[in-house]
Amino acid sequence: MRSDGWDARWAAAMAAVAVPDGAEVSVGVLDPVSGVGVRHGDRAFVTASVVKVGILVALLLEAQDAGRALTGEERSYAAAMIEHSDNGAASALWRSIGRSAGLDAAHARLGLTATEGGDGPGGG
């Protein structure tokens, strides 16, 4: 246990989470300033629809780097993807960001070192 109390607070927080029988949980938290991090579990899981946030971030970073606003089509796809969890829109934007390479580049810029885009049509 670290002397800063993180381990005890983390253990108490995880003990308060109701996990149904047979379910598995892996989660981690990292303070990027101090470098202090804690985790529970060590499994990797497919992200499902949460990857849509990463796709949107990659799209926005790409547009920002190019000094441009999103196109009308990009805005339409992004809105459908985020507001309605539209998988077709997510797949279209997935292709436009360069699939897993584009997502991984955005993750790296954000400091996500253990998050990878998959091979599927929407990054999952």
Side-chain angles (χ1 to χ4, degrees):
M1 264 203 182
R2 289 189 297 267
S3 61
D4 59 13
W6 268 84
D7 289 324
R9 289 185 299 220
W10 183 251
M14 289 308 301
V17 175
V19 178
D21 287 340
E24 295 183 53
V25 174
S26 288
V27 63
V29 177
L30 174 69
D31 179 345
V33 175
S34 70
V36 173
V38 290
R39 73 178 187 176
H40 173 85
D42 55 10
R43 285 245 355 247
F45 296 97
V46 175
T47 60
S49 285
V50 75
V51 74
K52 292 171 180 158
V53 175
I55 292 170
L56 179 60
V57 168
L59 176 68
L60 293 171
L61 287 171
E62 181 182 282
Q64 175 183 281
D65 291 349
R68 65 172 182 84
L70 296 182
T71 67
E73 182 177 56
E74 289 170 334
R75 290 179 66 83
S76 178
Y77 280 142
M81 177 179 70
I82 296 300
E83 294 174 11
H84 304 289
S85 197
D86 185 301
N87 292 332
S91 293
L93 292 176
W94 170 251
R95 290 185 297 274
S96 79
I97 65 166
R99 301 179 180 263
S100 61
L103 185 63
D104 292 346
H107 284 161
R109 287 178 67 175
L110 298 173
L112 301 173
T113 60
T115 304
E116 300 175 357
D119 295 327

